[in-house]
Amino acid sequence: MLKAKMCGIIGYVGEKEANDILIAGLERLEYRGYDSAGIAVTHNNTISINKSEGRVHNLKKEKLDGTIGIGHTRWATHGPPSNKNAHPFTCNEKKFVVVHNGIIENYLELKSGLHRSGISCTSDTDSEVIVHLIAQAYGGNLKEAVCKVIKHLQGSYALCVMHKDTHELVGARNGSPLLIGIGKGENFFASDASAIIDYTKDVIYMNDFQIAEIGKNLVTVFDFDGVEQSHEIKKIDWNLEQAQKSGYKHFMLKEIFEQPSVAQESLKVTFAIRKDFSRIIFVACGTASYAGLVGKYIIEKIAKIPVVNEIASEFRYKECLISEKDLVIAISQSGETADTLAAVRLARQKGARTLGLINVVDSTIAREVDSVVYTRAGPEIGVASTKAFISQLVMLYKFAFHLTENGMSNDIVDKIKETLKLSESIRKLAEQYYTCQNFLYIGRNIHFPLALEGALKLKEISYIHAEAYPAGELKHGPIALVCTEMPTIAICPQDSVYEKTYSNIEEIKARNGKVITIATEGDERIRNVSNDIIYVPKVDDIFYPFVIAVVLQLFAYHIADLRDCDVDKPRNLAKSVTVE
Ligand code: M6R
C-alpha cells in the first residue's frame, strides 16, 4: 500500500544564484508543510547546506553561493520537527545531497543494512537512508546510481538528488508529485508549479516510475530502468498575480472575496458525460467531502438519482460494493489527496467509471480518472478551502442540472457579491464571540453539510472546538452541551425546513443557549429566538448554500484573525494532504 507525506521540494540548475530561487520557491511550497526547511547548493565542488526547524524565512539569515541546488520544506512524519530531521540530507563525505517527499516504508530495514556496512544515520527520518544508499551505489553516474537505489525503496517518493561535482540534478517520482520547469538556460524540479512560475510556464508533469536528469540546457526523462522516454511540455494557464495576496491581509480573505468571479468562471463549465449509471458515489475528504454531501442532497432532489457520499479514507478500507453501473466522482482541490486518489484507484479496479471534479490542472487524480472536469477556482493558497468549495458547489449543481437537461441560472454570482458586503458586520459580531471556547453549528437538509463546513473552518483556523449536527439530532444527545458558554450558529433561512429548524432554535433558547442565526433578510420573526442575526440575501431555496458558505467563511476568518492565529498556515495542517 502506497503512503505519501506532504513536503515540498525544489531543484534549480542554471546561471543565476540558486539561493534566492530556492528560498522563494520553498516559500510558495510552504502550504505543503512548514515544520522545517533547508537548501543545499554546490559551488567549487563543495556542498553547503542551510537548514533549520520552522519556517522557510529562517533560511534568509544565511546566503549560499552557487548556481545549482535543491531545497525542501517539511511536514513531519518520521521524527519530530528539528534541525537534525530537516532536509536536505547528506552522506558522510558530503558528496551527495537528497531531498525527499514521501514515505520510505522499508527504511528501518535499509537503515540496518547501512549500519552493518558501518554507516550510521544522524536523523530519525525515513528519508536519510536514500542519500547513503546513493553514495554506496555511485560509480561515476548520478542517474545510474539513483536508478539502482530506487529499486530497493518501498513506499512513495519524489526525490531530488545532487552531487557536489556535477552540473545536473536527478529527480525521481513514484507516488508523490514532481514536475520539471523548462526555462531558458535554466531548469527546475518542483512539487508544483507555484514554486517556479516566476521563471517559466512550461512544465513537464512527471509520471510515476520516471526519473529525470536536468542541466541548464538539458532535460531528459527515463523510466526506472534508465530507458529514455518521450515527454510532453504543458503550459501553465494561471499567473503569479493569482498566487499573491493583492493587498489583502491573508490569502484566505482574498480567496473569499474572489468567489463571485470564481463562481462566474465555474458556471461556464459544461458536462458531456453519458447518463447511463444507476448510482453516483462521491469520494472526497474534508471540505471537498462536505461539497459532496451538498451534491448528494441536490442531485437526489433535482435528478432523482441515488447518491452515496463517501469519505475517501473510509471508503478505501471498507467492503467496496461498487460495480460498473456506478459513477464514482472524486472531488478534490489539489488533486493530490492520498485517500481520494486511493479511492479512485479502487473504484477503477472494480470497473466503475470515474469522473474527477478537480481544481489543480494535471494533478495526479486529474490524470488518473476516466474523465476530468476542472473546477476553475484558480490557485488556492490558504490552507482553509474557500473558493475551491464554492467552485465545487457550482460544479455539483451544474452536474445535477445537466442530468435533468436543464440550465442553471447565474444569479448566484450577484448574491455572493451582496453577501460579501457583510464582512464588516460579521467582524463586529466576531468581536463579541472570539473568546468563546466552543461552538455548536446546526442546519437541516442541505444546510447540514454547511454546518459541517462552518464548524471545520472555525476549528482549523481559530483552534476553537466546534461541532456540527443536523438540527433535528440535537435532542438525541448534543443538546446536553447547550449552556450560556456554548453559542450555537443556527442556519435557518426561509426554506422548506424553516419551521422545523425554528423549533430547534427555540429548544436551545429554552435552555439558555445563545444563538447566532443565519436567516433570510426581512425575516423579523427569527428575532424572537436569536441573540444575534446575520441576514443573507433571499435566493431560491436550493441556492442558499452559496450565500451561507460565504457567511460561515467570513465568521471563521474574523474570529481567527481576532485571536491572532496564523490564518493561512494553521498549526499541524498542510494544504495538500498526501498522507493517508
Ligand atoms: O485538495 P483536496 O480538496 O482533496 O483536500 C481535501 C481536504 O484536505 C481539504 O478540503 C481540507 O479539509 C481543508 N483544509 C479544509 O479547509
Side-chain angles (χ1 to χ4, degrees):
M1 188 71 53
L2 273 190
K3 293 195 266 179
K5 66 184 171 198
M6 283 78 87
C7 296
I9 64 178
I10 183 164
Y12 172 78
V13 50
E15 284 169 359
K16 299 179 191 137
E17 285 298 309
N19 187 87
D20 294 355
I21 294 173
L22 296 174
I23 291 178
L26 289 181
E27 279 184 320
R28 299 254 173 75
L29 292 175
E30 264 196 330
Y31 75 87
R32 302 180 65 85
Y34 30 85
D35 289 329
S36 65
I39 61 168
V41 174
T42 183
H43 184 55
N44 292 339
N45 305 337
T46 306
I47 289 174
S48 311
I49 299 176
N50 173 13
K51 58 183 184 177
S52 157
E53 183 181 342
R55 292 287 168 88
V56 173
H57 63 74
N58 291 341
L59 304 178
K60 292 182 180 167
K61 292 175 205 146
E62 203 181 323
K63 188 156 182 153
L64 307 181
D65 289 332
T67 58
I68 173 166
I70 59 176
H72 185 272
T73 179
R74 176 169 189 247
W75 191 83
T77 57
H78 293 64
S82 64
N83 285 357
K84 90 170 172 178
N85 291 332
H87 300 220
F89 290 109
T90 190
C91 53
N92 297 345
E93 293 175 331
K94 225 175 167 182
K95 285 187 182 165
F96 303 87
V97 266
V98 168
V99 288
H100 167 226
N101 169 28
I103 290 179
I104 305 303
E105 291 171 352
N106 59 336
Y107 80 104
L108 286 174
E109 186 190 321
L110 297 169
K111 218 171 182 173
S112 308
L114 286 166
H115 193 68
R116 283 193 295 276
S117 338
I119 299 164
S120 314
C121 291
T122 55
S123 75
D124 312 315
T125 68
D126 55 322
S127 310
E128 189 188 341
V129 292
I130 303 167
V131 73
H132 298 295
L133 292 171
I134 289 173
Q136 275 188 335
Y138 187 71
N141 181 309
L142 186 58
K143 185 204 87 197
E144 282 170 14
V146 176
C147 272
K148 273 188 212 155
V149 168
I150 53 185
K151 297 214 162 75
H152 301 285
L153 303 180
Q154 285 166 18
S156 69
Y157 43 87
L159 300 175
C160 227
V161 190
M162 182 172 76
H163 182 270
K164 74 182 180 63
D165 300 332
T166 55
H167 298 287
E168 284 90 37
L169 297 176
V170 173
R173 173 188 161 138
N174 175 16
S176 301
L178 189 63
L179 58 79
I180 302 168
I182 316 282
K184 288 202 173 63
E186 59 185 6
N187 291 307
F188 306 80
F189 280 120
S191 297
D192 92 35
S194 63
I196 55 164
I197 194 163
D198 285 359
Y199 315 100
T200 181
K201 288 194 161 194
D202 293 328
V203 298
I204 299 168
Y205 293 98
M206 288 179 66
N207 293 323
D208 279 348
F209 313 115
Q210 282 189 326
I211 186 164
E213 196 172 24
I214 64 168
K216 65 179 182 178
N217 294 308
L218 164 94
V219 172
T220 325
V221 179
F222 307 89
D223 66 15
F224 274 8
D225 291 321
V227 178
E228 192 169 337
Q229 298 205 306
S230 60
H231 53 260
E232 192 187 348
I233 299 179
K234 298 219 172 173
K235 267 258 177 273
I236 300 168
D237 65 354
W238 48 274
N239 56 40
L240 190 60
E241 162 68 8
Q242 286 172 280
Q244 283 174 340
K245 279 193 222 162
S246 315
Y248 284 92
K249 184 170 179 191
H250 295 102
F251 278 111
M252 180 179 176
L253 191 61
K254 178 195 169 218
E255 288 160 2
I256 291 173
F257 273 83
E258 278 172 359
Q259 292 180 115
S261 52
V262 165
Q264 182 93 61
E265 200 47 43
S266 309
L267 276 164
K268 292 180 191 157
V269 168
T270 52
F271 286 89
I273 189 149
R274 287 197 327 272
K275 298 170 196 168
D276 55 352
F277 43 82
S278 51
R279 194 171 62 143
I280 295 169
I281 298 166
F282 288 122
V283 289
C285 300
T287 288
S289 171
Y290 299 150
L293 193 51
V294 176
K296 171 180 162 66
Y297 280 99
I298 283 298
I299 292 170
E300 289 183 344
K301 184 176 174 61
I302 300 183
K304 319 286 182 218
I305 295 175
V307 180
V308 180
N309 189 52
E310 295 271 15
I311 293 170
S313 54
E314 290 295 314
F315 174 79
R316 60 184 292 195
Y317 292 119
K318 70 183 185 59
E319 195 59 46
C320 184
L321 300 177
I322 57 173
S323 72
E324 58 284 349
K325 290 194 193 119
D326 293 318
L327 174 68
V328 173
I329 305 184
I331 311 171
S332 176
Q333 187 289 126
S334 62
E336 300 293 347
T337 300
D339 287 317
T340 311
L341 175 60
V344 165
R345 288 177 176 164
L346 183 60
R348 296 195 67 189
Q349 266 172 30
K350 297 276 174 184
R353 210 157 13 122
T354 55
L355 166 69
L357 302 182
I358 310 291
N359 190 36
V360 177
V361 175
D362 282 323
S363 51
T364 309
I365 300 175
R367 287 184 288 144
E368 291 210 12
V369 283
D370 296 316
S371 51
V372 61
V373 177
Y374 289 113
T375 57
R376 304 196 190 186
E380 189 180 64
I381 312 289
V383 164
S385 190
T386 52
K387 63 175 182 170
F389 179 68
I390 286 289
S391 69
Q392 289 158 354
L393 291 190
V394 174
M395 288 299 127
L396 291 161
Y397 277 68
K398 286 219 70 165
F399 186 59
F401 283 108
H402 161 79
L403 295 174
T404 56
E405 314 215 332
N406 285 317
M408 175 177 164
S409 81
N410 61 1
D411 293 354
I412 53 154
V413 174
D414 290 334
K415 298 297 181 184
I416 295 172
K417 259 188 215 157
E418 240 179 273
T419 311
L420 286 169
K421 292 187 191 143
L422 300 173
S423 184
E424 273 315 301
S425 54
I426 293 175
R427 177 140 192 127
K428 294 215 169 68
L429 195 66
E431 281 164 6
Q432 286 177 52
Y433 287 95
Y434 77 98
T435 54
C436 293
Q437 295 305 312
N438 302 286
F439 275 86
L440 206 53
Y441 282 69
I442 59 164
R444 271 179 186 262
N445 198 276
I446 200 163
H447 305 305
F448 168 52
L450 270 289
L452 289 164
E453 172 59 4
L456 175 63
K457 287 286 92 84
L458 189 71
K459 277 183 269 211
E460 69 179 329
I461 61 169
S462 73
Y463 319 140
I464 294 174
H465 165 236
E467 291 200 43
Y469 281 95
E473 269 292 295
L474 273 195
K475 56 177 81 63
H476 300 286
I479 202 161
L481 292 168
V482 167
C483 61
T484 46
E485 284 79 46
M486 183 153 180
T488 298
I489 308 274
I491 305 173
C492 186
Q494 281 171 323
D495 64 0
S496 60
V497 287
Y498 174 81
E499 291 299 339
K500 301 287 171 203
T501 315
Y502 190 98
S503 303
N504 298 132
I505 301 175
E506 274 186 318
E507 290 157 11
I508 297 171
K509 289 301 292 173
R511 285 155 183 87
N512 290 328
K514 277 192 186 152
V515 179
I516 304 166
T517 311
I518 303 176
T520 305
E521 62 189 357
D523 179 2
E524 289 302 318
R525 185 177 154 220
I526 203 81
R527 292 187 191 280
N528 300 330
V529 290
S530 311
N531 293 77
D532 288 288
I533 304 171
I534 304 170
Y535 281 120
V536 293
K538 187 165 180 47
V539 293
D540 286 349
D541 277 17
I542 58 164
F543 292 120
Y544 273 111
F546 289 94
V547 289
I548 287 165
V550 174
V551 166
L552 295 168
Q553 293 163 352
L554 285 169
F555 185 72
Y557 170 79
H558 287 302
I559 294 241
D561 188 40
L562 287 161
R563 290 165 74 98
D564 253 339
C565 293
D566 192 345
V567 172
D568 286 332
K569 295 193 174 81
R571 69 182 180 208
N572 305 338
L573 294 180
K575 180 80 184 155
S576 228
V577 184
T578 51
V579 67
E580 72 169 285

